[in-house]
Amino acid sequence: MYVVEMSFECFDNTTISAVDQAINGLMDALRYNGQVLGREFPIVMDEAIFRVRAVCPEVDSLHAQFNSDSVKACLNRLSNASLLAPKVKVLGRDLNSEAAAENFAPSWQVIYTTFVHTCSPLRCGETLMPIPLYRVPPVLNGDHKSIVKWQTEWQACDEVQMAGGCKAEHATLHEIKDADSDLFRRGWDLRGRIEYITKIPTYYYQYQVGGKSLADEQKRPCPKCGGDWALDEPIHDLFHFKCDACRIVSNLSWDFQ
């Protein structure tokens, strides 16, 4: 990932509220297209220039060729706030984040995230490196907002259940673990949509914790079809189960690792 600085220069008198609305609208559109990562984008005023720093998956993530219709519309509306199109400066690689995948058409891919990840939830199945969302066709309504919103909810549930300090732990664990939960069903449907538009086998990650014993866990069936899906060797030391029919992967319960 790379840290970039976007500079917005005023060409006429304007107001802080107009600038705030225009820039934040653009940053939201870029986020929902996967071109910038994270949710907070501080705006700094430097006389007649407003500067924003963000993390991007690649050096050229903000190139016009990747812009969604929503991003293009927000860029056009900058003039309403008397702002010129942003100048982009790449400050360097972010040492605290993962590098993006090099192969955007792997033999298989997987929807996988955790609450500590800010990168794309679409991962190369061969390397587990994140594939920038703008590198695949829009999932719904012209961009990738649906998958970004799903990721935000999944990560929120993951953080609550990991903390384990309140009654909500069980409800949030249900959402990321059980195949009949709303969040699981929505994520699995998005997986199907991505597979349809990319023509690449796309799997969904089922989080697993708990269980009666290691022996029972190793015999755990696929949560959708009930079939045998245990692997002889784990993939990436993470996925111990893989159902090619249902397109689901899962870990051996964390309680037995």
Side-chain angles (χ1 to χ4, degrees):
M1 311 300 174
Y2 292 84
V3 179
V4 302
E5 182 177 85
M6 305 170 66
S7 301
F8 300 81
E9 185 175 355
C10 293
F11 62 81
D12 201 353
N13 291 332
T14 187
T15 64
I16 295 297
S17 61
V19 168
D20 178 80
Q21 183 176 3
I23 295 180
N24 280 319
L26 174 61
M27 298 308 295
D28 280 344
L30 290 169
R31 177 188 171 223
Y32 290 138
N33 199 42
Q35 291 171 269
V36 297
L37 305 171
R39 284 181 282 174
E40 296 185 7
F41 309 101
I43 303 173
V44 177
M45 184 171 62
D46 181 10
E47 295 184 352
I49 298 177
F50 294 85
R51 305 183 190 277
V52 179
R53 288 192 177 182
V55 176
C56 296
E58 301 175 284
V59 171
D60 59 348
S61 296
L62 298 181
H63 193 283
Q65 66 177 316
F66 301 125
N67 290 348
S68 65
D69 290 341
S70 180
V71 170
K72 293 174 184 177
C74 289
L75 286 169
N76 291 333
R77 285 197 291 266
L78 288 175
S79 59
N80 296 336
S82 300
L83 294 173
L84 297 174
K87 296 178 180 178
V88 178
K89 179 181 180 182
V90 179
L91 301 181
R93 185 184 290 275
D94 177 15
L95 300 181
N96 288 326
S97 60
E98 298 181 66
E102 297 179 359
N103 182 9
F104 306 129
S107 60
W108 68 287
Q109 53 196 12
V110 58
I111 301 297
Y112 167 78
T113 192
T114 74
F115 78 92
V116 298
H117 289 118
T118 58
C119 59
S120 167
L122 180 61
R123 304 289 191 117
C124 169
E126 298 161 2
T127 65
L128 206 59
M129 297 174 71
I131 298 174
L133 292 176
Y134 55 81
R135 288 288 186 175
V136 301
V139 176
L140 291 171
N141 302 320
D143 61 12
H144 301 282
K145 182 176 182 178
S146 56
I147 189 71
V148 172
K149 295 291 285 184
W150 166 87
Q151 181 183 26
T152 300
E153 293 179 47
W154 202 102
Q155 291 176 334
C157 289
D158 188 31
E159 186 164 12
V160 170
Q161 70 89 21
M162 285 293 290
C166 62
K167 294 181 180 179
E169 172 191 357
H170 303 291
T172 54
L173 180 58
H174 166 68
E175 291 296 330
I176 63 177
K177 177 177 178 289
D178 297 334
D180 62 347
S181 72
D182 292 338
L183 191 60
F184 190 105
R185 286 197 298 264
R186 181 147 43 91
W188 192 81
D189 287 344
L190 286 169
R191 170 220 62 81
R193 176 63 180 166
I194 292 173
E195 177 168 322
Y196 176 79
I197 62 179
T198 62
K199 311 303 181 187
I200 298 172
T202 305
Y203 291 71
Y204 184 79
Y205 168 64
Q206 179 204 26
Y207 180 89
Q208 176 67 11
V209 71
K212 296 180 179 179
S213 66
L214 176 59
D216 283 347
E217 175 64 15
Q218 290 171 331
K219 294 185 292 185
R220 175 165 58 95
C222 171
K224 290 191 76 71
C225 70
D228 181 13
W229 63 329
L231 298 172
D232 293 333
E233 295 292 336
I235 302 173
H236 305 305
D237 291 324
L238 174 62
F239 305 134
H240 298 79
F241 302 89
K242 183 171 182 273
C243 181
D244 294 324
C246 300
R247 297 287 200 255
I248 300 176
V249 294
S250 185
N251 59 283
L252 187 70
S253 173
W254 296 112
D255 286 350
F256 305 114
Q257 292 193 50

